[in-house]
Amino acid sequence: MTSIIGFSGPHFCVLNSENKPRFQVQVRSLGSKDSPVLSSDSVAVNGASVIKEREERRSLIDEGNERLRHKVNEEKRVKDGVLESLEPLWDDGYGTVTVKDYFDATKEMIKPDGGPPRWFCPVACGAPLKDSPILFFLPGLDGTGWGLILHHKALGKAFEVRCLHIPINDRTPFEGLVKFVEETIRLEHASSPNKPIYLVGDSFGGCLSLAVAARNPTIDLVLILVNSASSIERSQLQPLFPILEAIPDELHTAIPYLLSFVMGDPTKMAMVNIESRLPPSLKLTQLSRNLVALLPCLSSLADIIPRATLLWKLKLLKSAAAYANSRLHAVKAEVLVLASGKDNMVPSRDEAQRLMSSLQNCTVRHFNDNGHTLLLEDGINLLTVIKGTCKYRRSRKRDYVSDFLPPSMSELKYTADEVFGVLILKYMNVRVLRLATGSVMFSTLEDGKIVRGLAGVPHEGPVLIVGYHNLMGLELNSLVEEFLREKNIMVRGAAHPELFWGKSASSASFDWLKVFGAVPVTAKNLFKLLSSKSHVLLYPGGAREALHNKGEEYKLFWPNQPEFVRMAAQFGATIVPFAAVGEDDLLELVFDYNDLKKIPVISDYIKESNRDAIRLRDETSGEVANTDLFFPGILPKLPGRYYYLFGKPIVTKGKKEILKDKENANKLYLEIQSDIENSLAYLLKKREEDPYRSVTDRTAYRAIYSPMHEIPTFEP
């Protein structure tokens, strides 16, 4: 926000977690009015302007638990108090803060001060990226504003974070809170009219977000509704509300323990900082310790929501839901709804479907194993969800290149332990798959020598990696991961636009592809990636290769025209052909496209699902043109091994004029195609010489001698 002369703005404070007590508060006002004191022990009053506050905040970088290397790199990338860029595998701090920290933080915030609602900015958020949008967090019934504490450090890199604090004794009616938030976003919009404004509404905050959006349809808002309490009238707890009003004060101390099990999953909360790779016995031990440490904190819920406050907020919640629901038709904002499957407070799953059908631009993501307090539970990283649903942008329209945030170390670890983000086996543990396939990579040096590893792939971009697409894209995960681990390079894959703009965009199955850099394969995006000197992964054969028929393993299906050669030459990009072999050692193709088309019901389904699908190529593209998208019938096999070979780099720098000629470009195009076919043949032959091709032999060797990446293979 910026200060506007002559207008007093909403109250504002900055939380400094680097001083003692840990969550010390410093209050600032946005206009001529000074904010009242929050706590006499931990508050200083300062009427600084918003511009000065923003500059001071941007100069603060939360040191947290980052290693020295990360701190040095981050300092180098901070210019004039603003973070210029994020490196791949950056530290997002997820798992270093626990729910116990939430209770510790609220102790300072719940001290009565007689003040009105106000905004605060957690110093743990650190310095945001240049031109970052602003994010306002609207809390649930607790009103403390600390509901994002597990996500502060990650969100603080991508947003300027502001959290709403509603004091426990505040009795501002819902319309008053709407006007308060509305005034803030209007000031922010006036300051930065071309930037989106994010509203993260948790439970009650979801109603508040919807109400503000309905009243401001011309402002570019992105709403993230977390278990929105707009469904409170259908809550399974409705019969208990009259009982809560009748309970005497002496028994109110027992209410927090009841609410803790209704509103959230204590086990999920206690799992936040437990390493997923620990043995089960150690996991159980650490979980028990965390639960024991967490239980005493539950008594503080009686202080966070005392009896009078609870009764007031239940009434406030009903009026908020009625207000928001009556105005859903007026909401023009972009909306992302996060719904828990085990929400015992409100029917979040049903409400998510209702909101999706009622709102004009709504995306839904379900979290089946989480409770009402989703943002305080294990298994949810809010920034990852925003990235995976392509909701992060710095202007009115998302730019898939400039708005991309590289994956963090915690995201890489999560994909390795929990999910497989490619097109197949989405419920398969990726770490098990990686161990089973034992991927080994070779590259070719400039002198033609083949070596193990990626030394032959240029480190400096732009680099265009062109290759054969294995069945269902099975080669993608290991390829992207190895570039990150060995060279700290983010490979941006060009994917089918249907995953971004078609029916598939509504599926969470493809979110991890987007988190790890996939972009819609368009000439515009390829142009931007090469101009930004990126490493780009391109499959000319596209879906036709990835969805090939029986007997077509390792056969290239490329278009007739050299689609990428001249563009690579325009930017002086180095082209690296590559081949990957191993799909036939992992899966058995049982039903291909021709088989499925013979089954009437499935044939009709394929035809209907592709009716409005995005088409990439015209008829001149040959056999690769406009392949129908479908899921083939497959069966797993006893895994063999995956092999990759990156060919000798082809330098196009200085050849722009030569490759403008279609004949020269086509000649190079055919050479690249031939190079990949030769590499496929080479790998198919050489893998027969690998004594560790079998998963049993590799497992035995690894158990006795070395880590997976050091398991021997054939000599190139």
Side-chain angles (χ1 to χ4, degrees), residues 592-634:
D592 61 17
Y593 182 77
N594 295 327
D595 295 326
L596 296 176
K597 290 290 285 185
K598 296 176 183 178
I599 305 174
V601 176
I602 298 179
S603 177
D604 292 341
Y605 175 79
I606 294 175
K607 183 177 180 180
E608 181 62 29
S609 61
N610 282 274
R611 185 184 303 276
D612 300 320
I614 298 172
R615 299 296 181 177
L616 289 178
R617 297 177 168 109
D618 57 27
E619 296 178 357
T620 62
S621 300
E623 190 174 356
V624 75
N626 300 325
T627 301
D628 283 344
L629 302 179
F630 68 100
F631 283 93
I634 53 176

Side-chain angles (χ1 to χ4, degrees), residues 16-41:
N16 188 344
S17 61
E18 296 179 72
N19 300 324
K20 298 293 184 181
R22 182 176 180 184
F23 300 100
Q24 187 173 9
V25 179
Q26 184 179 19
V27 180
R28 305 174 189 270
S29 67
L30 293 187
S32 58
K33 297 178 182 178
D34 287 336
S35 294
V37 175
L38 287 181
S39 168
S40 59
D41 297 328

Side-chain angles (χ1 to χ4, degrees), residues 418-578:
E418 303 294 338
V419 299
F420 186 49
V422 194
L423 306 178
I424 190 176
L425 305 176
K426 71 175 183 176
Y427 299 110
M428 188 172 188
N429 185 297
V430 117
R431 183 156 52 99
V432 173
L433 181 67
R434 184 157 44 87
L435 290 171
T437 56
S439 300
V440 58
M441 300 198 180
F442 300 93
S443 60
T444 309
L445 304 179
E446 292 183 1
D447 60 4
K449 182 181 179 181
I450 298 176
V451 296
R452 185 167 180 175
L454 300 174
V457 181
H459 189 84
E460 297 296 327
V463 174
L464 188 60
I465 304 170
V466 183
Y468 165 74
H469 215 349
N470 278 215
L471 181 66
M472 302 299 292
L474 286 173
E475 80 287 355
L476 278 169
N477 186 75
S478 294
L479 188 153
V480 173
E481 181 178 327
E482 192 61 27
F483 268 88
L484 283 170
R485 292 186 183 277
E486 183 176 331
K487 300 178 78 72
N488 198 35
I489 288 176
M490 185 72 245
V491 175
R492 306 294 306 276
H496 199 292
E498 184 70 19
L499 305 182
F500 297 85
W501 306 320
K503 296 178 182 178
S504 299
S506 61
S507 172
S509 303
F510 304 104
D511 286 359
W512 283 99
L513 283 176
K514 302 159 191 175
V515 170
F516 278 82
V519 301
V521 57
T522 65
K524 183 178 180 180
N525 285 334
L526 187 58
F527 182 95
K528 288 182 177 179
L529 286 169
L530 293 177
S531 63
S532 62
K533 297 184 178 181
S534 302
H535 284 64
V536 185
L537 179 61
L538 182 67
Y539 294 102
R544 179 61 182 88
E545 287 179 355
L547 300 174
H548 62 69
N549 296 317
K550 297 175 185 175
E552 295 178 345
E553 296 86 357
Y554 311 121
K555 180 180 179 181
L556 269 60
F557 293 92
W558 283 22
N560 298 326
Q561 301 297 323
E563 298 179 323
F564 59 85
V565 172
R566 280 181 289 175
M567 184 173 287
Q570 182 176 350
F571 293 96
T574 301
I575 300 174
V576 179
F578 90 94

